[in-house]
Amino acid sequence: MPPVQAPHGPLRSYGRIKSRNLKPRQAEILARRADDVSLPDPDLGPIDPKTIAPDAAETWLEIGFGGGEHMVAQAARAPGVLLLGAEPFFNGFASAVRHIEEAGVSNVRVLQGDARALLAALPDASLARVFILFPDPWPKARHHKRRLVQDEVIAEMARAVRPGGRLRFATDWADYADWTLRRLLRSPDWRWIAQGADDWRTPPADHITTRYETKRLGDCAPVFLEFERR
Ligand SMILES: C[S@@+](CC[C@H](N)C(=O)[O-])C[C@H]1O[C@@H](n2cnc3c(N)ncnc32)[C@H](O)[C@@H]1O
């Protein structure tokens, strides 16, 4: 199979990518379960969710799942859905494998790596939902180009998400909320589904609070932006 050409620059790390030592129980679970819950390397060829879970009603993707708590909780709530996740941070990946084991879910597949490479390997219109929850803020102007939300990533998500599918973005950095809204509103592919002026202040009914969200490290209250693929 030809290698997938990733339309993005190198991954710039905001936090830690390399590992801290794992606790023995986490290391044991990782050794036993990593192979069966891992996605193939997206740089080696296309990844079709239909071949991973032929009976799944839909496929959702979480970009930058951190410790995996939100991804695994959503998977437990929606057993008919295949949940894909990508996270370059090794300890986050190991934590997600532990959550998968402890929750007893079989509908999650994870990549320790760059979500942009995974997106590039997914077929057109193969996703029903994408979650980007509290992405690295890169608050300094000279670092804004490192933000995950860029026009190319927005276009790539539009390619991979089916019409009527959803993108959920959350942040507690006011400038990143503005940045994302501006880019999504100028994209021909996405429609902001806010109904009232205050929609973005209220967590969506099915939102699960993330680990990073509880830390309140940003400069504003959490902002939730939900978009529909046209
Ligand atoms: C601030 S943390 C938030 C984690 C989690 N979503 C939460 O709310 O607890 C942002 C995460 O995005 C990950 N990340 C950054 N760039 C990424 C990329 N290109 N693909 C996947 N994950 C990425 C980082 O490693 C980090 O764990």
Side-chain angles (χ1 to χ4, degrees):
M1 247 182 294
V4 174
Q5 212 58 50
H8 55 73
L11 180 73
R12 306 302 290 261
S13 172
Y14 189 79
R16 201 183 320 102
I17 289 185
K18 295 224 169 60
S19 56
R20 267 184 314 196
N21 286 343
L22 298 181
K23 295 198 176 119
R25 174 173 155 72
Q26 184 132 324
E28 183 277 315
I29 294 171
L30 186 67
R32 184 161 45 77
R33 295 297 312 276
D35 281 354
D36 41 288
V37 301
S38 285
L39 284 165
D41 181 347
D43 291 335
L44 297 181
I47 296 175
D48 189 349
K50 282 269 160 261
T51 64
I52 298 170
D55 298 329
E58 9 190 87
T59 304
W60 301 353
L61 169 66
E62 182 164 345
I63 294 181
F65 56 69
E69 296 84 2
H70 171 274
M71 174 178 65
V72 171
Q74 290 285 6
R77 273 189 194 166
V81 166
L82 173 65
L83 250 296
L84 306 181
E87 169 56 63
F89 177 37
F90 174 78
N91 290 73
F93 172 77
S95 161
V97 175
R98 179 172 58 81
H99 286 300
I100 291 168
E101 162 91 359
E102 289 175 353
V105 293
S106 57
N107 56 333
V108 184
R109 294 292 181 282
V110 278
L111 172 74
Q112 189 210 335
D114 191 332
R116 297 170 301 175
L118 174 56
L119 261 178
L122 291 172
D124 293 356
S126 55
L127 299 175
R129 293 183 84 174
V130 176
F131 298 94
I132 304 176
L133 304 176
F134 304 91
D136 294 328
W138 295 108
K140 291 182 183 154
R142 70 174 189 278
H143 290 152
H144 285 176
K145 56 182 178 298
R146 298 182 183 177
R147 286 177 167 171
L148 178 75
V149 177
Q150 303 289 345
D151 291 331
E152 314 82 75
V153 173
I154 291 170
E156 193 56 11
M157 290 191 292
R159 183 195 62 75
V161 173
R162 63 163 169 73
R166 294 288 182 90
L167 164 64
R168 177 172 298 165
F169 173 91
T171 185
D172 54 7
W173 289 86
D175 177 69
Y176 204 175
D178 289 348
W179 165 283
T180 299
L181 191 54
R182 238 178 301 130
R183 279 159 183 74
L184 268 296
L185 289 178
R186 78 186 178 206
S187 160
D189 299 321
W190 297 97
R191 185 177 73 82
W192 188 25
I193 60 154
Q195 302 275 314
D198 275 349
D199 264 19
W200 50 273
R201 293 182 206 274
T202 314
D206 65 344
H207 176 62
I208 293 158
T209 305
T210 75
R211 178 141 43 118
Y212 186 85
E213 180 180 1
T214 60
K215 295 184 181 173
R216 295 285 163 131
L217 296 172
D219 62 1
C220 69
V223 170
F224 295 88
L225 303 174
E226 187 99 9
F227 303 90
E228 184 182 76
R229 175 74 171 93
R230 292 186 193 275

